[in-house]
Coordinates of all heavy atoms in Angstrom, one line a residue:
M1 N -5.2 4.9 3.4 CA -4.9 3.8 2.5 C -4.3 4.3 1.2 O -3.4 3.7 0.7 CB -6.2 3.1 2.2 CG -6.0 1.9 1.3 SD -5.2 0.5 2.2 CE -5.8 -0.9 1.3
G2 N -4.8 5.4 0.6 CA -4.2 5.9 -0.6 C -2.8 6.3 -0.5 O -2.0 6.1 -1.4
L3 N -2.5 6.9 0.6 CA -1.0 7.4 0.9 C -0.2 6.1 1.0 O 0.9 6.0 0.4 CB -1.0 8.1 2.2 CG 0.4 8.5 2.5 CD1 1.0 9.5 1.5 CD2 0.3 9.3 3.9
L4 N -0.6 5.1 1.7 CA 0.2 3.9 1.7 C 0.4 3.3 0.4 O 1.5 2.9 0.0 CB -0.6 2.9 2.6 CG 0.2 1.6 3.1 CD1 1.5 2.0 3.7 CD2 -0.6 0.7 4.1
L5 N -0.7 3.1 -0.5 CA -0.6 2.6 -1.8 C 0.3 3.5 -2.6 O 1.2 3.0 -3.4 CB -1.9 2.3 -2.5 CG -2.8 1.4 -1.8 CD1 -4.1 1.4 -2.5 CD2 -2.2 0.0 -1.9
G6 N 0.2 4.7 -2.4 CA 1.2 5.7 -3.1 C 2.6 5.4 -2.8 O 3.6 5.4 -3.6
R7 N 3.0 5.2 -1.5 CA 4.3 4.8 -1.1 C 4.7 3.6 -1.6 O 5.8 3.4 -2.1 CB 4.3 4.7 0.5 CG 4.3 6.0 1.1 CD 4.4 5.9 2.6 NE 5.7 5.3 3.1 CZ 5.9 4.8 4.2 NH1 5.0 4.8 5.2 NH2 7.1 4.3 4.5
M8 N 3.8 2.5 -1.8 CA 4.1 1.3 -2.4 C 4.4 1.4 -3.9 O 5.2 0.6 -4.4 CB 3.0 0.2 -2.1 CG 3.0 -0.2 -0.7 SD 4.6 -0.9 -0.2 CE 5.1 -2.1 -1.4
G9 N 3.9 2.4 -4.5 CA 4.1 2.6 -5.9 C 5.6 2.9 -6.2 O 6.1 2.6 -7.4
N10 N 6.4 3.3 -5.3 CA 7.8 3.5 -5.4 C 8.7 2.3 -5.1 O 9.9 2.3 -5.2 CB 8.2 4.7 -4.5 CG 7.6 6.0 -4.9 OD1 7.3 6.2 -6.0 ND2 7.3 6.7 -3.8
L11 N 8.0 1.2 -4.8 CA 8.9 0.1 -4.4 C 9.8 -0.4 -5.5 O 11.0 -0.7 -5.1 CB 7.9 -1.2 -4.2 CG 8.5 -2.5 -3.7 CD1 9.3 -2.3 -2.3 CD2 7.5 -3.6 -3.6
D12 N 9.5 -0.4 -6.7 CA 10.3 -0.8 -7.7 C 11.4 0.3 -8.2 O 12.2 0.1 -8.9 CB 9.6 -1.3 -9.0 CG 8.9 -2.6 -8.7 OD1 9.3 -3.4 -7.8 OD2 7.9 -2.9 -9.4
E13 N 11.1 1.5 -7.6 CA 11.9 2.6 -8.1 C 13.0 3.0 -7.0 O 13.3 4.2 -6.8 CB 11.0 3.8 -8.4 CG 10.2 3.5 -9.6 CD 9.2 4.6 -9.9 OE1 9.2 5.6 -9.2 OE2 8.2 4.3 -10.6
G14 N 13.4 2.0 -6.2 CA 14.5 2.3 -5.3 C 14.1 2.5 -3.8 O 15.0 2.7 -3.0
L15 N 12.9 2.1 -3.4 CA 12.5 2.1 -2.0 C 13.3 1.0 -1.3 O 13.3 0.0 -1.8 CB 11.0 1.8 -1.9 CG 10.4 2.0 -0.5 CD1 10.6 3.5 0.1 CD2 9.0 1.6 -0.5
D16 N 14.1 1.4 -0.3 CA 15.0 0.3 0.2 C 14.1 -0.8 0.9 O 13.0 -0.6 1.2 CB 16.1 0.9 1.2 CG 15.3 1.4 2.4 OD1 14.3 1.0 3.0 OD2 15.9 2.5 3.0
S17 N 14.8 -1.9 1.1 CA 14.1 -3.2 1.5 C 13.5 -3.0 2.9 O 12.3 -3.4 3.1 CB 15.0 -4.3 1.6 OG 15.5 -4.5 0.3
A18 N 14.0 -2.3 3.8 CA 13.5 -2.1 5.2 C 12.2 -1.3 5.1 O 11.3 -1.6 5.8 CB 14.5 -1.5 6.1
S19 N 12.3 -0.2 4.3 CA 11.1 0.6 4.2 C 9.9 -0.1 3.5 O 8.8 0.0 3.9 CB 11.4 1.9 3.4 OG 12.3 2.6 4.0
A20 N 10.2 -0.9 2.5 CA 9.2 -1.8 1.8 C 8.7 -2.7 2.9 O 7.4 -2.9 2.9 CB 9.8 -2.5 0.6
L21 N 9.4 -3.3 3.7 CA 8.9 -4.3 4.6 C 8.1 -3.6 5.7 O 7.0 -4.1 6.0 CB 10.1 -4.9 5.3 CG 9.9 -6.0 6.5 CD1 9.0 -7.2 5.9 CD2 11.1 -6.4 7.1
D22 N 8.4 -2.4 6.2 CA 7.7 -1.7 7.2 C 6.4 -1.2 6.5 O 5.4 -1.3 7.2 CB 8.5 -0.5 7.6 CG 9.7 -0.9 8.6 OD1 9.7 -2.0 9.1 OD2 10.5 -0.1 8.7
T23 N 6.4 -0.8 5.3 CA 5.1 -0.3 4.6 C 4.2 -1.5 4.5 O 3.0 -1.3 4.8 CB 5.5 0.3 3.2 OG1 6.4 1.4 3.4 CG2 4.2 0.8 2.6
L24 N 4.6 -2.6 4.0 CA 3.7 -3.7 3.9 C 3.2 -4.2 5.2 O 2.1 -4.6 5.4 CB 4.4 -4.8 3.2 CG 4.8 -4.7 1.7 CD1 5.7 -5.8 1.1 CD2 3.6 -4.5 0.8
L25 N 4.1 -4.3 6.2 CA 3.7 -4.7 7.6 C 2.7 -3.8 8.0 O 1.6 -4.3 8.6 CB 4.9 -4.7 8.5 CG 4.6 -4.9 10.0 CD1 4.1 -6.4 10.1 CD2 5.9 -4.7 10.8
Q26 N 2.8 -2.5 8.0 CA 1.9 -1.5 8.5 C 0.5 -1.8 7.7 O -0.6 -1.6 8.5 CB 2.3 -0.1 8.4 CG 1.5 1.0 8.9 CD 1.3 0.7 10.5 OE1 2.3 0.5 11.2 NE2 0.1 0.9 11.0
N27 N 0.5 -1.9 6.6 CA -0.7 -2.2 5.7 C -1.4 -3.4 6.3 O -2.7 -3.3 6.4 CB -0.3 -2.3 4.3 CG -1.6 -2.2 3.4 OD1 -2.7 -2.2 3.9 ND2 -1.3 -2.0 2.1
I28 N -0.7 -4.4 6.5 CA -1.4 -5.7 7.0 C -1.9 -5.5 8.4 O -3.1 -5.9 8.6 CB -0.5 -6.9 7.0 CG1 -0.1 -7.2 5.6 CG2 -1.0 -8.0 7.8 CD1 1.0 -8.3 5.4
V29 N -1.2 -4.9 9.3 CA -1.6 -4.7 10.6 C -2.8 -3.7 10.7 O -3.8 -4.1 11.4 CB -0.4 -4.2 11.6 CG1 -0.9 -3.7 12.9 CG2 0.7 -5.3 11.6
T30 N -2.7 -2.7 10.0 CA -3.8 -1.7 10.0 C -5.1 -2.3 9.4 O -6.2 -2.1 9.9 CB -3.4 -0.4 9.3 OG1 -2.3 0.0 9.9 CG2 -4.5 0.6 9.3
S31 N -5.0 -3.0 8.2 CA -6.1 -3.5 7.6 C -6.7 -4.6 8.4 O -8.0 -4.6 8.5 CB -5.8 -4.2 6.2 OG -5.3 -3.1 5.4
S32 N -5.9 -5.4 9.1 CA -6.5 -6.4 10.0 C -7.2 -5.8 11.2 O -8.3 -6.3 11.6 CB -5.3 -7.4 10.5 OG -4.8 -8.0 9.5
A33 N -6.7 -4.7 11.7 CA -7.3 -4.1 12.9 C -8.7 -3.5 12.4 O -9.6 -3.6 13.2 CB -6.5 -2.9 13.4
I34 N -8.7 -2.9 11.2 CA -10.0 -2.4 10.7 C -11.0 -3.5 10.6 O -12.3 -3.3 10.9 CB -9.8 -1.8 9.3 CG1 -9.0 -0.4 9.5 CG2 -11.0 -1.5 8.7 CD1 -8.5 0.2 8.2
E35 N -10.6 -4.7 10.2 CA -11.4 -5.8 10.1 C -11.8 -6.6 11.5 O -12.5 -7.5 11.5 CB -10.9 -6.8 9.1 CG -10.8 -6.5 7.7 CD -12.1 -6.1 7.1 OE1 -13.1 -6.8 7.3 OE2 -12.3 -5.1 6.4
G36 N -11.2 -6.0 12.5 CA -11.4 -6.6 13.9 C -10.6 -7.8 14.1 O -10.8 -8.7 15.0
E37 N -9.6 -8.1 13.3 CA -8.7 -9.1 13.6 C -7.3 -8.7 14.2 O -6.7 -7.8 13.8 CB -8.3 -9.7 12.1 CG -9.4 -10.4 11.3 CD -9.8 -11.7 11.9 OE1 -8.8 -12.4 12.3 OE2 -10.9 -12.1 11.8
A38 N -6.9 -9.6 15.1 CA -5.6 -9.2 15.8 C -4.5 -10.1 15.0 O -4.8 -11.4 14.9 CB -5.6 -9.6 17.2
V39 N -3.4 -9.5 14.7 CA -2.3 -10.3 14.1 C -1.1 -10.0 14.9 O -0.9 -8.9 15.5 CB -2.1 -10.0 12.6 CG1 -3.2 -10.4 11.7 CG2 -1.7 -8.5 12.4
N40 N -0.2 -11.0 14.9 CA 1.1 -10.8 15.5 C 2.0 -10.1 14.6 O 2.4 -10.7 13.7 CB 1.5 -12.2 16.0 CG 2.9 -12.1 16.8 OD1 3.8 -11.5 16.4 ND2 3.0 -12.9 17.8
A41 N 2.4 -8.9 14.9 CA 3.2 -8.1 14.0 C 4.5 -8.7 13.7 O 5.1 -8.7 12.7 CB 3.4 -6.6 14.5
A42 N 5.2 -9.3 14.9 CA 6.5 -10.0 14.7 C 6.4 -11.2 13.7 O 7.3 -11.4 12.8 CB 7.0 -10.5 16.0
S43 N 5.3 -12.0 13.8 CA 5.1 -13.0 13.0 C 4.8 -12.5 11.5 O 5.4 -13.2 10.5 CB 3.8 -13.9 13.5 OG 3.6 -15.0 12.5
V44 N 4.0 -11.5 11.4 CA 3.7 -10.9 10.0 C 5.0 -10.5 9.4 O 5.4 -10.7 8.2 CB 2.7 -9.8 10.0 CG1 2.6 -9.2 8.7 CG2 1.4 -10.4 10.5
R45 N 5.9 -9.8 10.3 CA 7.2 -9.2 9.7 C 8.1 -10.4 9.3 O 8.7 -10.3 8.1 CB 7.8 -8.5 10.9 CG 9.3 -8.0 10.3 CD 9.9 -7.2 11.5 NE 9.3 -5.9 11.7 CZ 9.7 -4.9 10.9 NH1 10.5 -5.0 10.0 NH2 9.1 -3.7 11.2
S46 N 8.1 -11.5 9.9 CA 9.0 -12.6 9.6 C 8.5 -13.3 8.2 O 9.2 -13.7 7.3 CB 9.0 -13.7 10.6 OG 9.6 -13.3 11.8
S47 N 7.1 -13.4 8.1 CA 6.5 -13.9 6.9 C 6.8 -13.0 5.7 O 7.2 -13.5 4.6 CB 4.9 -14.1 7.0 OG 4.7 -15.0 8.0
L48 N 6.7 -11.7 5.8 CA 7.0 -10.7 4.8 C 8.4 -10.8 4.4 O 8.8 -10.8 3.2 CB 6.6 -9.3 5.2 CG 5.1 -8.9 5.2 CD1 5.0 -7.6 5.9 CD2 4.6 -8.9 3.7
A49 N 9.3 -10.8 5.5 CA 10.7 -10.9 5.1 C 11.1 -12.1 4.3 O 11.9 -12.0 3.4 CB 11.5 -10.8 6.5
K50 N 10.5 -13.2 4.6 CA 10.8 -14.4 3.9 C 10.3 -14.3 2.4 O 11.0 -14.7 1.5 CB 10.0 -15.6 4.6 CG 10.3 -17.0 3.9 CD 9.8 -18.1 4.7 CE 8.3 -18.2 4.8 NZ 7.8 -19.4 5.3
R51 N 9.1 -13.7 2.2 CA 8.6 -13.5 1.0 C 9.4 -12.6 0.0 O 9.4 -12.7 -1.1 CB 7.1 -13.1 1.0 CG 6.2 -14.0 1.6 CD 5.4 -14.8 0.5 NE 4.6 -15.8 1.2 CZ 4.5 -17.0 0.8 NH1 5.0 -17.3 -0.3 NH2 3.8 -17.8 1.5
L52 N 10.0 -11.6 0.7 CA 10.7 -10.5 0.0 C 12.2 -11.0 -0.1 O 13.0 -10.3 -0.6 CB 10.6 -9.2 0.8 CG 9.3 -8.5 0.8 CD1 9.3 -7.3 1.7 CD2 8.8 -8.2 -0.6
G53 N 12.5 -12.1 0.5 CA 13.9 -12.7 0.3 C 14.9 -11.9 1.3 O 16.1 -11.8 1.0
L54 N 14.4 -11.3 2.3 CA 15.2 -10.6 3.3 C 15.6 -11.5 4.4 O 14.9 -12.2 5.0 CB 14.5 -9.4 3.8 CG 13.9 -8.4 2.7 CD1 13.1 -7.4 3.4 CD2 15.1 -7.8 2.0
V55 N 16.9 -11.4 4.8 CA 17.4 -12.2 5.9 C 17.3 -11.3 7.1 O 17.8 -10.3 7.1 CB 18.9 -12.6 5.7 CG1 19.4 -13.4 6.8 CG2 19.0 -13.5 4.4
T56 N 16.6 -11.9 8.1 CA 16.6 -11.1 9.4 C 17.1 -12.0 10.5 O 16.9 -13.2 10.5 CB 15.2 -10.7 9.7 OG1 14.3 -11.8 9.9 CG2 14.6 -9.7 8.7
G57 N 17.9 -11.4 11.4 CA 18.6 -12.3 12.4 C 17.6 -12.6 13.5 O 17.9 -13.6 14.2
N58 N 16.5 -12.0 13.6 CA 15.6 -12.3 14.7 C 14.2 -12.6 14.2 O 13.3 -11.8 14.5 CB 15.6 -11.1 15.7 CG 15.2 -9.8 15.0 OD1 15.2 -9.7 13.8 ND2 15.2 -8.8 15.8
S59 N 14.1 -13.7 13.4 CA 12.8 -14.0 12.9 C 11.9 -14.7 14.0 O 12.5 -15.4 14.9 CB 12.9 -14.9 11.7 OG 13.5 -16.1 12.0
S60 N 10.6 -14.4 13.9 CA 9.7 -14.9 14.8 C 9.0 -16.2 14.2 O 8.9 -16.2 13.0 CB 8.6 -13.9 15.2 OG 9.3 -12.8 15.9
P61 N 8.3 -17.0 15.0 CA 7.5 -18.0 14.4 C 6.5 -17.5 13.5 O 5.8 -16.5 13.9 CB 7.0 -18.8 15.6 CG 7.9 -18.4 16.7 CD 8.4 -17.1 16.4
T62 N 6.1 -18.2 12.5 CA 4.9 -17.7 11.6 C 3.8 -18.7 11.7 O 4.0 -19.8 12.3 CB 5.4 -17.5 10.2 OG1 5.9 -18.9 9.6 CG2 6.6 -16.6 10.1
S63 N 2.7 -18.3 11.1 CA 1.5 -19.2 11.1 C 1.0 -19.2 9.7 O 1.4 -18.4 8.8 CB 0.4 -18.7 12.1 OG 0.0 -17.4 11.7
S64 N 0.1 -20.1 9.4 CA -0.5 -20.1 8.1 C -1.3 -18.8 7.9 O -1.3 -18.3 6.7 CB -1.4 -21.3 7.9 OG -2.5 -21.3 8.9
K65 N -1.8 -18.2 8.8 CA -2.6 -16.9 8.7 C -1.5 -15.8 8.3 O -1.8 -15.1 7.4 CB -3.2 -16.6 10.0 CG -4.0 -15.3 10.0 CD -4.6 -14.9 11.3 CE -5.4 -13.7 11.4 NZ -6.0 -13.4 12.6
T66 N -0.4 -15.7 9.0 CA 0.6 -14.7 8.6 C 1.2 -15.0 7.3 O 1.5 -14.0 6.5 CB 1.6 -14.5 9.7 OG1 2.4 -15.5 9.9 CG2 1.0 -14.0 11.0
E67 N 1.5 -16.3 7.0 CA 2.1 -16.6 5.7 C 1.1 -16.2 4.5 O 1.5 -15.7 3.5 CB 2.4 -18.0 5.6 CG 3.5 -18.4 6.4 CD 4.9 -18.0 6.0 OE1 5.0 -17.7 4.8 OE2 5.8 -17.7 6.8
G68 N -0.2 -16.4 4.8 CA -1.2 -16.1 3.8 C -1.3 -14.6 3.6 O -1.4 -14.1 2.4
L69 N -1.3 -13.8 4.7 CA -1.5 -12.4 4.6 C -0.1 -11.8 3.8 O -0.3 -10.9 3.0 CB -1.5 -11.7 6.0 CG -2.9 -12.0 6.8 CD1 -2.7 -11.6 8.2 CD2 -4.0 -11.2 6.1
A70 N 1.0 -12.3 4.1 CA 2.1 -11.9 3.6 C 2.1 -12.2 2.1 O 2.5 -11.3 1.2 CB 3.5 -12.4 4.3
E71 N 1.7 -13.4 1.7 CA 1.7 -13.8 0.3 C 0.8 -12.9 -0.4 O 1.1 -12.3 -1.6 CB 1.3 -15.2 0.3 CG 1.1 -15.7 -1.3 CD 0.6 -17.1 -1.4 OE1 0.0 -17.7 -0.4 OE2 0.6 -17.6 -2.4
L72 N -0.4 -12.6 0.0 CA -1.4 -11.8 -0.6 C -0.9 -10.4 -0.7 O -1.0 -9.8 -1.9 CB -2.7 -11.9 0.2 CG -3.9 -11.0 -0.4 CD1 -4.3 -11.6 -1.8 CD2 -5.0 -11.1 0.5
M73 N -0.3 -9.8 0.3 CA 0.2 -8.4 0.2 C 1.3 -8.3 -0.8 O 1.3 -7.3 -1.5 CB 0.6 -8.0 1.6 CG 1.0 -6.4 1.7 SD -0.3 -5.4 1.3 CE -1.6 -5.8 2.4
V74 N 2.3 -9.3 -0.8 CA 3.3 -9.1 -1.7 C 2.8 -9.3 -3.2 O 3.2 -8.5 -4.1 CB 4.4 -10.1 -1.4 CG1 5.4 -10.2 -2.6 CG2 5.1 -9.8 -0.1
E75 N 1.9 -10.2 -3.4 CA 1.4 -10.3 -4.7 C 0.6 -9.1 -5.2 O 0.7 -8.7 -6.4 CB 0.4 -11.6 -4.8 CG 1.2 -12.9 -4.9 CD 0.3 -14.1 -5.0 OE1 -0.8 -13.9 -5.4 OE2 0.8 -15.2 -4.6
L76 N -0.2 -8.7 -4.3 CA -1.0 -7.5 -4.7 C -0.3 -6.2 -4.9 O -0.7 -5.3 -5.7 CB -2.1 -7.2 -3.6 CG -3.2 -8.2 -3.5 CD1 -4.1 -7.9 -2.3 CD2 -4.0 -8.3 -4.8
N77 N 1.0 -6.2 -4.4 CA 1.9 -5.0 -4.7 C 2.9 -5.2 -5.6 O 3.8 -4.5 -5.9 CB 2.5 -4.6 -3.3 CG 1.4 -3.8 -2.5 OD1 1.1 -2.7 -2.8 ND2 1.0 -4.5 -1.5
S78 N 2.8 -6.4 -6.4 CA 3.7 -6.6 -7.5 C 2.9 -6.3 -8.9 O 1.7 -6.3 -8.9 CB 4.0 -8.0 -7.6 OG 3.1 -8.9 -7.8
D79 N 3.6 -6.2 -9.9 CA 3.0 -5.9 -11.2 C 3.2 -7.2 -12.0 O 4.1 -7.3 -12.8 CB 3.7 -4.7 -11.8 CG 2.9 -4.4 -13.2 OD1 1.7 -4.7 -13.4 OD2 3.6 -3.7 -14.1
S80 N 2.2 -8.1 -11.9 CA 2.3 -9.3 -12.6 C 1.0 -9.9 -13.0 O 0.0 -9.5 -12.5 CB 3.1 -10.3 -11.8 OG 2.3 -10.7 -10.7
S81 N 1.0 -10.7 -14.0 CA -0.2 -11.5 -14.3 C -0.7 -12.3 -13.2 O -2.0 -12.5 -13.1 CB 0.0 -12.2 -15.7 OG 0.9 -13.2 -15.5
R82 N 0.1 -12.9 -12.5 CA -0.3 -13.7 -11.3 C -1.1 -12.9 -10.4 O -2.1 -13.3 -9.8 CB 1.0 -14.3 -10.6 CG 0.7 -15.2 -9.6 CD 2.0 -15.8 -9.0 NE 1.5 -16.5 -7.8 CZ 2.5 -17.0 -6.9 NH1 3.8 -16.7 -7.1 NH2 2.1 -17.6 -5.8
R83 N -0.8 -11.7 -10.1 CA -1.5 -10.8 -9.2 C -2.9 -10.5 -9.8 O -3.9 -10.7 -9.1 CB -0.8 -9.5 -9.1 CG -1.6 -8.5 -8.3 CD -0.9 -7.1 -8.3 NE -0.9 -6.6 -9.6 CZ -1.4 -5.5 -10.1 NH1 -2.1 -4.7 -9.3 NH2 -1.4 -5.2 -11.4
R84 N -2.9 -10.3 -11.0 CA -4.3 -10.0 -11.7 C -5.2 -11.2 -11.6 O -6.4 -11.1 -11.3 CB -4.1 -9.5 -13.1 CG -3.5 -8.2 -13.2 CD -3.5 -7.5 -14.6 NE -2.5 -8.3 -15.5 CZ -1.2 -7.9 -15.6 NH1 -0.7 -7.0 -14.8 NH2 -0.4 -8.6 -16.3
E85 N -4.6 -12.4 -11.9 CA -5.4 -13.7 -11.8 C -5.9 -13.8 -10.3 O -7.1 -14.2 -10.1 CB -4.5 -14.8 -12.2 CG -4.3 -14.8 -13.7 CD -3.2 -15.9 -14.0 OE1 -2.9 -16.7 -13.2 OE2 -2.7 -15.8 -15.2
R86 N -5.0 -13.7 -9.3 CA -5.4 -13.9 -7.9 C -6.5 -12.9 -7.6 O -7.4 -13.2 -6.9 CB -4.2 -13.9 -7.1 CG -4.7 -14.0 -5.6 CD -3.6 -14.6 -4.8 NE -4.0 -14.8 -3.4 CZ -3.5 -15.5 -2.6 NH1 -2.3 -16.1 -2.8 NH2 -4.0 -15.7 -1.4
L87 N -6.3 -11.6 -7.9 CA -7.2 -10.6 -7.6 C -8.6 -10.9 -8.2 O -9.7 -10.8 -7.6 CB -6.7 -9.3 -8.1 CG -7.7 -8.0 -7.7 CD1 -7.7 -7.9 -6.1 CD2 -7.0 -6.7 -8.2
A88 N -8.6 -11.5 -9.5 CA -9.9 -11.8 -10.1 C -10.6 -12.9 -9.3 O -11.7 -12.9 -9.1 CB -9.7 -12.2 -11.5
R89 N -9.8 -13.9 -8.9 CA -10.3 -15.1 -8.0 C -10.9 -14.5 -6.8 O -12.1 -14.9 -6.3 CB -9.2 -16.1 -7.9 CG -9.0 -16.9 -9.0 CD -8.2 -18.2 -8.7 NE -7.1 -18.0 -7.8 CZ -5.9 -17.7 -8.2 NH1 -5.6 -17.7 -9.5 NH2 -4.9 -17.5 -7.4
C90 N -10.2 -13.6 -6.1 CA -10.6 -13.1 -4.8 C -12.0 -12.3 -5.0 O -12.9 -12.4 -4.2 CB -9.5 -12.3 -4.2 SG -8.1 -13.2 -3.5
T91 N -12.0 -11.5 -6.0 CA -13.1 -10.6 -6.3 C -14.3 -11.5 -6.6 O -15.4 -11.3 -6.1 CB -12.8 -9.7 -7.4 OG1 -11.7 -8.9 -7.1 CG2 -14.0 -8.8 -7.7
A92 N -14.1 -12.5 -7.4 CA -15.2 -13.5 -7.8 C -15.7 -14.2 -6.5 O -16.9 -14.4 -6.4 CB -14.7 -14.5 -8.9
G93 N -14.8 -14.5 -5.6 CA -15.3 -15.2 -4.5 C -16.0 -14.4 -3.5 O -16.8 -14.8 -2.6
C94 N -15.8 -13.1 -3.6 CA -16.5 -12.1 -2.7 C -17.8 -11.6 -3.2 O -18.6 -11.0 -2.5 CB -15.6 -10.9 -2.4 SG -14.2 -11.3 -1.5
S95 N -18.0 -11.8 -4.5 CA -19.3 -11.2 -5.1 C -20.5 -12.2 -4.8 O -20.3 -13.4 -4.8 CB -19.1 -11.3 -6.7 OG -18.0 -10.5 -7.1
P96 N -21.6 -11.6 -4.6 CA -22.8 -12.3 -4.3 C -23.2 -13.1 -5.6 O -23.1 -12.6 -6.8 CB -23.8 -11.3 -4.0 CG -23.4 -9.9 -4.4 CD -21.8 -10.1 -4.5
R97 N -23.8 -14.2 -5.4 CA -24.1 -15.0 -6.5 C -25.6 -15.0 -6.9 O -26.5 -14.8 -6.2 CB -23.7 -16.5 -6.3 CG -22.2 -16.5 -5.9 CD -21.7 -17.9 -6.2 NE -20.4 -17.9 -5.6 CZ -19.4 -17.8 -6.3 NH1 -19.3 -17.8 -7.6 NH2 -18.0 -17.8 -5.7

């Protein structure tokens, strides 16, 4: 995971769009597998491409699940106040009360 996040650290410093897409896709697929969730990689790829503003000629149908995963991954790998707010909400929701 640390290596993957390290690779993502270069996103704003010239990592090409295809590599960024592949890195985010691999992160989602691997994380989902660790959690015991099966995701359709083609659907996730299409959701990520849409979020990143990439045009792909062979997009696959997406679902609310893949759209949500893509949205979360893109936000978590951006440097913005919106990311910090969402992360705080997610963390608060996961904490025992």
Side-chain angles (χ1 to χ4, degrees):
M1 180 76 155
L3 177 61
L4 187 57
L5 292 176
R7 287 182 61 194
M8 284 309 303
N10 296 326
L11 182 60
D12 293 333
E13 298 173 10
L15 186 64
D16 67 33
S17 299
S19 294
L21 179 64
D22 289 342
T23 300
L24 293 171
L25 175 64
Q26 186 61 43
N27 194 345
I28 291 172
V29 170
T30 301
S31 297
S32 295
I34 289 169
E35 296 296 324
E37 293 283 328
V39 294
N40 181 314
S43 179
V44 173
R45 179 180 285 279
S46 292
S47 294
L48 282 169
K50 183 169 70 172
R51 296 266 176 217
L52 295 172
L54 303 174
V55 177
T56 59
N58 55 357
S59 63
S60 296
T62 62
S63 67
S64 59
K65 180 179 180 176
T66 61
E67 289 293 328
L69 289 169
E71 177 184 12
L72 183 61
M73 187 58 61
V74 169
E75 281 184 24
L76 291 175
N77 285 286
S78 68
D79 185 24
S80 69
S81 59
R82 183 175 171 194
R83 174 189 61 121
R84 289 185 291 277
E85 291 169 11
R86 180 154 182 165
L87 185 57
R89 285 194 313 268
C90 289
T91 303
C94 293
S95 300
R97 302 201 191 256

